[in-house]
Amino acid sequence: MKLYIADGTPQCVKVLAALELTGVKCEIEAVSHEERVVPHLSLLESPVLLLPDGQHLFSPNSICQYLFDISGQKATDATNEWLEWEATSLQPAVLQSLHMVALQGKRVEAAAVMKEPLKWLEQSLSKKNSSFLTAEAVSVADVVLWAALYPLLSDSSFDVGELRSVRGWFERVGDLAACQAAANRVLHGKGVEALKTFLQKHPATQTQRRDSPTNATEAEVAEHVITVEEIEEAAQIWSEGLKSSPAVTERKHPVLPQEGKRNVLLPSALPYVNNVPHLGNLIGCVLSADVFARYGRLRGWNLLYICGTDEYGTATENKAREEGLTPQEICDKYHAIHADIYQWFQIDFDFFGRTTTKQQTEIAQDIFWRLHERGFLLEDTVEQLRCESCQRFLADRFVEGECPHCRYPEARGDQCDKCGRLINAVELRNPQCKVCKETPVICSSKHLFLNLPKLEDELEQWLDKSTSSGDWTLNARHITRSWIRDGLKPRCITRDLQWGTPVPHEDYKEKVFYVWFDAPIGYLSITANYTDQWEKWWKNPQQVELYNFMAKDNVPFHSVVFPCSLLGAQDNYTLVNHLIATEYLNYEDTKFSKSRGVGVFGDMAKDTGIPSDVWRFYLLYLRPEGQDSAFSWSDMALKNNSELLNNLGNFINRAGMFVSKFFDGCVPEMLLNEDDKRLIAQVRWELKQYIQLLDKVRIRDALKCILNISRHGNQYMQLNEPWKKIKGGDGDRQRAGTVTGVSVNVACLLSAVLEPYMPSVSHTIRQQLQAPHTCVSAMLQNTGTFICTLPAGHRIGAVSPLFQKLENEQIEVLRKRFGGQQAPSSAAETKPSAGAVHDASVNVNADPERAKQLTALVAEQGNKLRGLKAQKADKSVIDDEVEKLLQLKKQLSLAEGKNPEPAAQKGKKK
């Protein structure tokens, strides 16, 4: 193993301390702040741990937990809870404070930011009888929290009050030689001053708990201070209950714009039909759009969510050739696969269509003729790449070469993924056909072009209006502006292909429309397949707001090229008001690859045994909004076990169980005191933040508000301890009732705010609580209203756990299964030719399912063995693990239908 660290990086203190404490053998390499040690991940900082199997861990807390795990100190629920609290509550406040102290000299303001998390830590420690957070011995939780606080609390001039319990615990952990050595190695005795370089490269806006939707100060953003007026107002509104709640309206099809309503048209980027979507594809368009669509419907918007498969182009022709089918048969097959995947992920389209339809041809050809008649098309001869080996012109996506602008070696024939600039395939250096790897030749062909320069002024006027009034993500704005800055050029709209929408012009009847021109028109034609009144959505910019969801590589086509087509058509088309683009999601420390078996694809997720709601939660938790992010199995397990199981599930389940166990299933009477009112005000504030963030399509940040609500609820329960008070006198029992009643109402609110993210879990919670049908819409109206939806006397249903723990063994099996290490197909799957000699080592009693499980277990055991050897474990321990590996291999041979004892080989000496 190798650990990469950098001087002056605060997160390196915890991993070095954990490494020293656990005694794990590991090489350490110091790198600069600019050095990128994990491929494919931009803006990734040290520390990074390279594992024996070549995988990387890049979450500091995950590294620490891994080191403790392999040293025999397994994580517990208690340590997991502390680690999650450090990552989500403590760490943002610490980084905010470090900025204030090191770069702004604002010590008093920094101390104010730390007040709330340190108060919570003080209360928790004061109730413990042990020397450390979870036991009498130091755990991974102690190391992680101590290291986070060290730069601030080791500074005697940083005044955060008395905090006796925190100070005592901090000194006990700091007395450990491993912790002292780690701090000295990273900070060199300079304290906060040593972190200046690191902090200057990480602006304060990245360290806040959430971005403020208003012009709040830094300290207010980090921790909102609830005023007395807010507390009283929140309690008053809460007590009013569901008296004036709006009626729940059922969706009726077709959904059409309505006068006086907010009419939202929401098309998600169309997935290409011949690819099975992976997790990155899902979060980039359909899943993100689904969250926003569900949210909009709950808010009472009149919303239409459509999507479909993009089915024309060379890629479909190639796939058909590979599988021995016609292009239409390929489209039919993969359209059904896509539909099944999205249904499993609970994507709630109003309509999921496709582009190979009569309506697509009619609308595309109409836009073409309108552009032609208004003089926005040009004719020119084009040099194209033709593969003589494949005997066809190459579509842009089927040629790769070196980018002429940035020299990236894997640029496509239409766009470079590195610099983002559009290119013509013939401009590529050293081009290669992606199918046969041969070098293509340049041939000439006459084509039609959209005259973008002629539309540039009108486009800029529209862009100024749309980007100033709408919600465009930062990357969408930057990509669009870079296009305009570089100057627009005519763009070819025809191709020498067969599978596509035919060009209706007599001189071009052998050609089809280029997919970039044709595919976005699919939004219109899919809507036209949904309703013959489609023009009420697409030719109605006065009444309709258009949101587009996509990954960043699709931005130019939606912000420049497609709008130019519609502007040039001069037919009052609805243009995009809000363009929402994500960065890329990678897989572990590499890229998704179906051919290499790397990564989880949509059709595989349901075979993992992990519910779709958990997949939705984790993908949305790490949604790549500001920079690329990476799926990680260990992080998924950590988030499931800490955030879902221990935070969210624990709170909701306890609230319901206390009603069932202590109050015979009926919500008890609630007499609010100041603590209860403060909790209600805190929850109300988080609800308002949730609504403000989701209104701005800040999907990931709004999810953190949900987790903050349940975190407030858990802290409220822990401080008030209703399970103890229920055993006391009348006053204590009354207090237990109030805390339980308020808590179960918070659980009901959580069911409402969870609905866009985890619809099945949301429904289950409301079912268990027998919540009123109107509770969700009532609390999500206007700016957000937290009300008592389950009054005293309300009877709840049967309560059961919402989530299951993801075990380390289960996660390791899945990591191996999707890590590109799948075993090749067994010989039993290959049909022998007639007259083949019978192999005595093969029998017919094969068990493919068991073989699949054992293959993963063999890989897991092999990885464990390599880790032990790397740590120079005792020979007796290694021998035991070797024997386990051999036994697993024998079982695998039997499951594959083979004789585990190799047959004697002729001509070989024994």
Side-chain angles (χ1 to χ4, degrees), residues 488-550:
L488 299 181
K489 298 176 179 62
R491 192 77 182 155
C492 187
I493 68 167
T494 54
R495 272 293 183 260
D496 290 299
L497 302 174
Q498 294 179 334
W499 184 246
T501 301
V503 179
H505 195 290
E506 180 63 27
D507 295 344
Y508 297 90
K509 59 185 178 182
E510 300 300 322
K511 302 181 189 294
V512 299
F513 287 126
Y514 192 2
V515 68
W516 71 257
F517 175 80
D518 188 54
I521 296 172
Y523 297 139
L524 284 63
S525 71
I526 287 168
T527 311
N529 275 277
Y530 167 67
T531 172
D532 58 7
Q533 301 178 69
W534 65 275
E535 291 183 349
K536 290 185 177 180
W537 284 108
W538 284 103
K539 295 184 181 181
N540 189 5
Q542 295 77 24
Q543 281 191 312
V544 173
E545 282 184 78
L546 174 57
Y547 283 80
N548 273 140
F549 283 76
M550 69 202 67

Side-chain angles (χ1 to χ4, degrees), residues 705-719:
C705 294
I706 300 175
L707 301 175
N708 286 334
I709 290 172
S710 63
R711 198 168 285 115
H712 284 310
N714 274 315
Q715 293 170 6
Y716 170 72
M717 273 196 175
Q718 287 299 118
L719 290 173

Side-chain angles (χ1 to χ4, degrees), residues 699-765:
I699 293 172
R700 186 186 63 197
D701 290 340
L703 177 57
K704 305 297 171 63
C705 294
I706 300 175
L707 301 175
N708 286 334
I709 290 172
S710 63
R711 198 168 285 115
H712 284 310
N714 274 315
Q715 293 170 6
Y716 170 72
M717 273 196 175
Q718 287 299 118
L719 290 173
N720 286 282
E721 299 179 326
W723 57 91
K724 291 183 179 178
K725 288 185 170 57
I726 195 68
K727 300 172 184 176
D730 290 346
D732 279 350
R733 289 182 61 82
Q734 173 63 60
R735 183 72 194 133
T738 297
V739 172
T740 300
V742 171
S743 295
V744 82
N745 271 280
V746 174
C748 189
L749 171 65
L750 285 168
S751 77
V753 292
L754 275 171
E755 204 282 336
Y757 294 87
M758 306 179 77
S760 291
V761 168
S762 169
H763 177 74
T764 299
I765 297 168

Side-chain angles (χ1 to χ4, degrees), residues 468-722:
S468 61
S469 61
D471 291 315
W472 287 52
T473 52
L474 195 60
N475 57 359
R477 293 171 186 268
H478 285 168
I479 292 168
T480 302
R481 284 300 164 198
S482 70
W483 266 55
I484 301 295
R485 185 186 61 242
D486 294 342
L488 299 181
K489 298 176 179 62
R491 192 77 182 155
C492 187
I493 68 167
T494 54
R495 272 293 183 260
D496 290 299
L497 302 174
Q498 294 179 334
W499 184 246
T501 301
V503 179
H505 195 290
E506 180 63 27
D507 295 344
Y508 297 90
K509 59 185 178 182
E510 300 300 322
K511 302 181 189 294
V512 299
F513 287 126
Y514 192 2
V515 68
W516 71 257
F517 175 80
D518 188 54
I521 296 172
Y523 297 139
L524 284 63
S525 71
I526 287 168
T527 311
N529 275 277
Y530 167 67
T531 172
D532 58 7
Q533 301 178 69
W534 65 275
E535 291 183 349
K536 290 185 177 180
W537 284 108
W538 284 103
K539 295 184 181 181
N540 189 5
Q542 295 77 24
Q543 281 191 312
V544 173
E545 282 184 78
L546 174 57
Y547 283 80
N548 273 140
F549 283 76
M550 69 202 67
K552 64 181 177 183
D553 58 339
N554 257 327
V555 167
F557 303 105
H558 289 77
S559 66
V560 175
V561 182
F562 185 45
C564 278
S565 297
L566 299 183
L567 287 169
Q570 296 177 359
D571 204 14
N572 196 39
Y573 276 109
T574 304
L575 301 180
V576 61
N577 302 96
H578 314 276
L579 204 157
I580 314 301
T582 62
E583 300 291 318
Y584 295 135
L585 177 72
N586 294 299
Y587 179 79
E588 295 283 356
D589 57 355
T590 186
K591 294 182 178 180
F592 289 88
S593 172
K594 188 80 169 179
S595 61
R596 292 187 290 114
V598 175
V600 182
F601 287 72
D603 55 346
M604 303 171 178
K606 61 184 175 183
D607 297 330
T608 62
I610 299 172
S612 64
D613 265 11
V614 175
W615 282 107
R616 287 175 62 109
F617 166 81
Y618 183 60
L619 290 174
L620 293 162
Y621 190 97
L622 51 80
R623 184 173 184 262
E625 293 183 358
Q627 64 184 55
D628 293 356
S629 60
F631 174 91
S632 161
W633 282 108
S634 56
D635 187 55
M636 184 182 190
L638 178 64
K639 296 299 184 291
N640 177 83
N641 297 343
S642 56
E643 286 291 19
L644 292 184
L645 189 64
N646 295 337
N647 178 14
L648 193 64
N650 179 54
F651 171 70
I652 294 170
N653 188 250
R654 283 202 298 176
M657 288 300 294
F658 290 167
V659 174
S660 297
K661 183 177 179 181
F662 301 143
F663 301 98
D664 195 29
C666 286
V667 176
E669 182 185 15
M670 292 162 275
L671 301 178
L672 304 183
N673 68 15
E674 289 307 307
D675 284 347
D676 309 319
K677 292 178 181 179
R678 177 172 292 277
L679 171 75
I680 290 168
Q682 286 175 324
V683 169
R684 179 180 182 238
W685 187 80
E686 293 288 354
L687 173 61
K688 288 181 176 296
Q689 293 297 298
Y690 166 92
I691 286 176
Q692 289 184 38
L693 289 165
L694 270 184
D695 277 354
K696 294 291 184 181
V697 206
R698 301 287 296 279
I699 293 172
R700 186 186 63 197
D701 290 340
L703 177 57
K704 305 297 171 63
C705 294
I706 300 175
L707 301 175
N708 286 334
I709 290 172
S710 63
R711 198 168 285 115
H712 284 310
N714 274 315
Q715 293 170 6
Y716 170 72
M717 273 196 175
Q718 287 299 118
L719 290 173
N720 286 282
E721 299 179 326

